[in-house]
Amino acid sequence: AAAATTASDAGRGASLRAQAGALYRKNAVFQRRNICSNVCLLSAPIFFCVLLLAVQVAINKLLLTGADYECGCQCAKCCYNGDRNNCTSVSSGTCSYDCLEFNTTNCGVQFSTARQSVFCAIPHTSSWPPILQTPAAEERAEPYKPKAAFLYTGSDPTAAQSLTAGLLPRPDVRASTLLSAQRYLEAFSRDLPQSPATVPGEFLSLLGMRLGTSSRIAAGLFLETALVGDGATLYTLWPDGTCADMGLEGQINTTLSTMLEAMVNASNPAPIAATINQRLKDTVAGLAGNGSGGDSAAVSQVTSLKMNCTDVVIDEQQSAADLQRTLYCGYYQARCDGSTATNQYAAAVDWRDTNATRFAPDLYYNDTYGLPKSEAPAVYQRVPQVLNMAVNSWLKSVLGDGYSAELIGVMETPKVATKVNLDFSSLLGPLFFTWVIQMLLPIFLMQLVYEKEKRLRMMMKMHGLGDTAYWIVMYSWFGMLYVAYMLVFVFFGSLIGLNMFRKNSYAIQFLFYMLFGHNMIAFSFLLSCFFTSSKTATVFAYLVVFGTGLIGSLLLSQLINAGLWYTVLLELVPSFALFRGLFEMAEYSFLGVYRNSYGMAVSNLHDSGNGMPVVWIILAAEWWVFMALAWYLEQVFASGTGNRRHPLFFLDGIRNCLGRSTAGSSPRRPRHSSELQLPTIKSQAHAPIMAAVDARSKPGSPVPNDHAVAANGAMESEPVDVATERLRVERIADYESNPIVVRHLNKTYPGLDGQPPKLAVRSLDLAIERGECFGLLGPNGAGKSTSINMMVGLLEPSAGTALIGGYDIRKDMDAIYGLMGVCPQHDLLWDTLTGREHLLFYGRLKGLQGSELDSAVESSLRSVNLWNNKVGEKQARQYSGGMKRRLSVAISFIGNPLVVYLDEPSTGLDPASRRNLWDVVKSNKRERAIVLTTHSMEEAEMLCDRLGIFVDGQLVCIGNPKEITSRYGGFLVFTITAPLDQEAAARDLVTGMSPNARLTYSVGGTLKFELPTNEVSLSRVFATMAGSQAAGLAVLDWGVANATLEEVFIRFARQIGAKAGD
């Protein structure tokens, strides 16, 4: 209880709220000093939005303009070869020559090309006959050319032949046929009297024509390129030999009237044919010449058609494989048998097992002008006619010639006027926005790893900042930055009219961006566990940003369009989940622009194939996973955040919870020595040495020397003062007077590359009292820093423990951090914070506030000489190395810590500043324990109440500086200078005075010796030197002194074999 009271009085820790407040204030100041960087970061979305808008405007205004990108208008001056004196006005269609003037008040689909038609307003769309894509005469297959070819096969050859017989009926135009066509045209003229843009193309189907074309497909059926336009080609397809029977074989550009007359003649006896032909001519002429304006122009587009009579050879293939090979080899790039010839076929059918009750053929159609890439809108494909032919042939085969289900026409739906206006925020949004939104990932990751890499995170932790407070503050800080970033992005993007934002529901966008923001921050915490270099982490993060964007655009978008189920597995990667959500919004916004409607609304979340709900679920679920993994891995990896914990450490927490639930909960408290399950020095192996040490502890007993201890069976390598300290540590029962108690502390590093394990610290036992400054001395690599790193929580002990204020470093480091102050070997400061701001931050972490905090900060600045001339108001980057060192010492003492660790605090200080610093340390020793490491023997003697010399991982002596010097410095340092020719005589003089004298220095006649005190006394030295002249030795100078602490230190290092720099 006394220890607990003491711990709360000295170095009391701050509450979670106070810790979070301190870190918030520090971060706010730090970010304010970096305002330019923050402004640039928040301006990045504006820059990218402006860039996207500039590209969109440039393409829409410069490239996607002109006659080809708007509805066609009437040509008022269609001039032959551009001659204005030879011009005419076009009443319908386009100008075949040079149009020098357009009537922009009279525009419509009737004046447009097929490419222009998609931009026109068409309230009543034309009905076109179904047309079969047929190769041009020069590209048709051998040996049928110039005839077209139609292939077929089937499982049953006889059935296949019967099924194919009705594919192409012969001409059959009778009086009833003519009557039906006449009624159709009359109804068309009556229903659409003023619709010049509406063409009654299905009139041709009513006359029994099977039509084909080699014209290129346009983007839809607003205009059928087989019937309208300069490149229109139209074939009437008949069974082989029909054209010759009709007298049209070899004729080209046959008029509709001629074709109809030939069809009538082939269908009827001569007298009846003459009557029908006359009536047909009168009907067509009347509709074409006497109709009322609009419908007359529309009908005339049909009556003025030119077409070619084409025979079709229907040829059987032995099998489906033969049929497919024949079709494949017809393509010129197939290079079958080394040939590059083109042998195209009109169509093909594999009847398979089609019968009277089952219609299941495979249909093959000519795809010369097929579908474009999936990114462009799908065009109309000439599939209906081949399907129509197969269905009617099957019906006639099964039910008889009197049955049919003829497809009369095909048509588009009516549409409003449109214009091309590519929305790049929709087209490039998934890729572009994936990059922009994830630009914060490298920022988050770099900041987390940088604070670990520069040990700033550990510095804050050692001064009382808990992991919970750090996570809360950093998470919320990242969250605020992300919110500001996205608000700028969405607001500015909406302001300049990017449809990716404006067309889609802002509620959906808010939820999506919010979920991804939380997910990205959690992902940053998780990734930070795997990096120790901020540069490496930043490069990796940028690779993730740009790599996932490209992979999403090139691969994931294809998988989404294909509807593959395993796409959701890729979306488990947060970046791909972001891409999928942006992809869905881009698709809906693109449709919204195309349809002049809204994009994704809440009601669209239930649409088939909409992946947004799945993305939300993934992002929300992964947040919990990422946060849990980040917390766990930070404890296990501890890359710059403290001790590594066992991978199953959470089982201890479960066990403790179960123990508290049965025994009642109790707060964390300092531990009593009886609770430590450690081996004691009262074991059998150490019994003799205990007897020797106990004897020394009795009043009046002589102090045993090393030989006495060794005679009692103790370890010869352990000096008596170290053994005494071990005994004292073992007897300590509470920690009120001993804030630092180290028990059997060991640290072993595993061997690398076949080397044996490295024992860095060997069974260290040490107790430091209140008001005591304990100095750790030793050569580099002796184990000093390793010992301190274990005490401050940077390293986990291999064995043993240390109790700081009664708290165990193995289990209670969170409580210990609030009790200690640390001055690290290298200054860990924020360059943009002032000295005062550093002290305010660390003071708040220690629980100081208000006037108490201000007073402590001022006192600290004055004590380290940073108060005058407002030096404390300057940023740390303006400080010299000595000023930074003094600030680090002031930080270690702020908040009245119970324990202070000073690692070479005077490094880089001038003599005056060093003396001032020593005064600061002396004045702050009261009521606290200080551990000091230094290479300055003068500093150790000036500041330390006791010293411990570390060599090769173990204490070789311990005591106050004078005691160590007198105990282990059992020699006098004798220096003599003589002429070079008398140097040998000088050596003889010294060895005569002390036979075991050891020469340590010899340069230019100056010799330095160590004289054992058991062989020589000061009086004898003076007497010998007084008689040196009588012996004929010309002594130029000489001196004698007791051994210094530095000489004792060097002697220890040499005896054990340690070398400076190892």
Side-chain angles (χ1 to χ4, degrees), residues 756-829:
K758 167 67 175 177
L759 188 59
V761 178
R762 308 166 186 260
S763 190
L764 174 62
D765 286 88
L766 179 66
I768 303 176
E769 299 178 352
R770 278 177 174 273
E772 179 183 359
C773 178
F774 185 86
L776 277 178
L777 306 181
N780 293 334
K784 308 183 305 297
S785 296
T786 301
S787 300
I788 290 182
N789 286 342
M790 286 189 284
M791 295 183 203
V792 300
L794 285 176
L795 293 175
E796 185 177 4
S798 301
T801 188
L803 291 101
I804 312 300
Y807 293 101
D808 192 341
I809 63 171
R810 299 173 304 176
K811 301 179 180 179
D812 305 321
M813 279 309 305
D814 290 342
I816 293 173
Y817 287 137
L819 305 178
M820 70 183 194
V822 180
C823 173
Q825 184 175 3
H826 303 287
D827 300 307
L828 304 179
L829 305 171

Side-chain angles (χ1 to χ4, degrees), residues 725 728-729 732 734-743 764-776 787-788 791 802-806 898-901 925 927-933 944-948 955 958:
E725 182 70 10
R728 188 171 80 89
V729 169
I732 293 176
D734 62 77
Y735 312 102
E736 180 179 2
S737 303
N738 296 274
I740 300 178
V741 178
V742 182
R743 296 179 184 271
L764 174 62
D765 286 88
L766 179 66
I768 303 176
E769 299 178 352
R770 278 177 174 273
E772 179 183 359
C773 178
F774 185 86
L776 277 178
S787 300
I788 290 182
M791 295 183 203
L803 291 101
I804 312 300
L898 179 64
V899 176
V900 177
Y901 301 94
K925 283 201 303 183
E927 293 300 321
R928 65 171 52 89
I930 299 176
V931 178
L932 171 74
T933 65
C944 297
D945 301 290
R946 287 197 304 158
L947 294 173
L955 273 178
I958 189 170

Side-chain angles (χ1 to χ4, degrees), residues 24 48 258 371 382 424 427 445 507 635 880 884 945 967 980 1030:
Y24 264 124
F48 288 119
T258 303
L371 293 171
R382 302 192 197 277
F424 274 80
L427 293 176
L445 186 58
Q635 308 301 314
S880 64
K884 291 181 179 179
D945 301 290
R967 183 187 308 161
L980 289 176

Side-chain angles (χ1 to χ4, degrees), residues 503-521:
K503 287 291 184 180
N504 296 307
S505 168
Y506 283 103
I508 292 177
Q509 294 184 64
F510 170 78
L511 183 58
F512 172 62
Y513 293 138
M514 181 193 69
L515 288 173
F516 179 75
H518 283 291
N519 185 284
M520 181 170 63
I521 296 173

Side-chain angles (χ1 to χ4, degrees), residues 853-874:
L853 175 62
D854 295 335
S855 176
V857 170
E858 180 179 346
S859 175
S860 298
L861 291 173
R862 289 183 183 276
S863 65
V864 294
N865 200 21
L866 293 177
W867 177 263
N868 296 331
N869 300 321
K870 295 185 178 180
V871 177
E873 304 300 330
K874 295 181 179 179

Side-chain angles (χ1 to χ4, degrees), residues 721 772-775 940-941 944-949 957-968 1045:
D721 50 356
E772 179 183 359
C773 178
F774 185 86
E941 290 182 297
C944 297
D945 301 290
R946 287 197 304 158
L947 294 173
I949 298 181
C957 72
I958 189 170
N960 63 61
K962 292 183 179 180
E963 182 184 27
I964 290 176
T965 303
S966 61
R967 183 187 308 161
Y968 296 101
L1045 182 61

Side-chain angles (χ1 to χ4, degrees), residues 257-289:
S257 298
T258 303
M259 179 61 67
L260 290 177
E261 182 178 355
M263 292 171 60
V264 170
N265 291 336
S267 307
N268 301 277
I272 299 175
T275 304
I276 296 176
N277 281 329
Q278 184 59 47
R279 186 174 179 181
L280 183 62
K281 289 180 181 179
D282 294 341
T283 301
V284 173
L287 289 171

